[in-house]
Each structure stands twice: as structure tokens, then as C-alpha cells.
Amino acid sequence: LCESYAAFTKSYHDTGLFGFYGVTDRTRCEDFAFVAMMEMTKMCYDVVEDDVTRAKNQLKASLLMFQDSTQAVAESIGRDLLMHGRRIPKAELMARIDAVTADTIRDVADKFIYDKCMVVAAAGDAQFMPDYNWFRRRSYLLRY
């Protein structure tokens, strides 16, 4: 469906940005967009606690493994200062991660994804990329 896919986030003290990107060819562009939007919107309705636990464990492991060089530590300190105005101790960071539940994910997704405007960008041969309204209509699910 796509050659590569990744989610990203940029957090600051009073604002932030999150999203995803993918690389695909022009014939699979709409299929990729459909699956990606379905997965994003699904967070508003269907979050499995096992998936949340797995994601929390992966996040904690990556945060701890990221601290292997002085450059990484400096980046971590800078990020903490931008987001919180202070250095966050590892114990507090792990406690904050552990506090996240499936309900937390659903609440945040409902606030920032469900029926919300978004930004869509494409580069390259985007002839078959769905238009903005197509994406907007898929930011919610109609359930009867």
C-alpha cells in the first residue's frame, strides 16, 4: 500500500503539531489515504487497552534508549524546557506515560481529530490524491 509510513509530533509549551506521512505511488494514493484516515478516526471510537499498553512500553523504551549520547541528552533537556519550562525527571515522565489509558486516547482523539479541520499536503505526482473535502468527510464516522 505504501513504501514508508510514519507518525510525527512536535510539542511546545502552548501549542503542538501531530500527524502522519506516507510515501506511495500515484495508483495507490487514494487507498493509502483511506486506510490512514480510517486508522486516525478509529482512535475516536475503538481503542484497545492492549494496544495502548504496547505503545506505552515502546515509548518508554525509545525514550530511555534515546539517552545514549550527550547530543541526545541536550535535545531532551531543550525539549523539556520548551514544553514544561523545566527538566522532567525520568520517574515523573514514566508516571505520566503510565497514566495514559484507552479512555485518555479516545478523549484526546475526540478533541483533536473527530470532525476537525486538518492540513493535507502532497508532493510529487499528486494527480490521484483525494481533495481536502474527501479527507474532511473522513474525520468522523457515521454510525447508525
Side-chain angles (χ1 to χ4, degrees):
L1 190 57
C2 67
E3 295 172 23
S4 65
Y5 170 86
F8 63 87
T9 181
K10 294 292 181 194
S11 301
Y12 301 98
H13 178 67
D14 58 351
T15 189
L17 173 70
F18 77 96
F20 62 89
Y21 66 89
V23 177
T24 187
D25 63 42
R26 62 189 225 143
T27 61
R28 297 181 295 179
C29 200
E30 188 170 359
D31 293 335
F32 169 74
F34 178 81
V35 170
M37 286 303 298
M38 181 63 77
E39 291 300 317
M40 285 283 284
T41 306
K42 192 168 83 170
M43 287 190 292
C44 300
Y45 304 100
D46 185 26
V47 181
V48 179
E49 197 64 50
D50 288 343
D51 291 341
V52 175
T53 301
R54 186 180 70 247
K56 290 191 304 189
N57 290 337
Q58 287 176 340
L59 177 59
K60 289 191 284 189
S62 70
L63 287 172
L64 292 174
M65 286 187 264
F66 180 71
Q67 302 290 320
D68 63 349
S69 72
T70 55
Q71 178 184 353
V73 172
E75 286 179 25
S76 177
I77 292 170
R79 187 173 38 256
D80 284 352
L81 290 174
L82 283 173
M83 288 175 37
H84 307 288
R86 65 184 177 92
R87 180 80 165 120
I88 303 295
K90 285 185 178 62
E92 180 182 344
L93 182 61
M94 297 303 153
R96 287 181 179 199
I97 293 169
D98 286 335
V100 174
T101 65
D103 289 334
T104 309
I105 301 294
R106 277 190 293 273
D107 291 344
V108 170
D110 190 53
K111 182 177 179 180
F112 294 106
I113 296 172
Y114 181 79
D115 199 20
K116 300 291 189 268
C117 295
M118 64 193 74
V119 175
V120 178
D125 187 5
Q127 176 181 354
F128 296 105
M129 177 80 168
D131 68 0
Y132 176 79
N133 290 322
W134 184 96
F135 283 95
R136 185 67 176 85
R137 283 191 310 270
R138 282 155 183 84
S139 67
Y140 56 90
L141 296 175
L142 296 176
R143 292 189 165 193
Y144 298 97

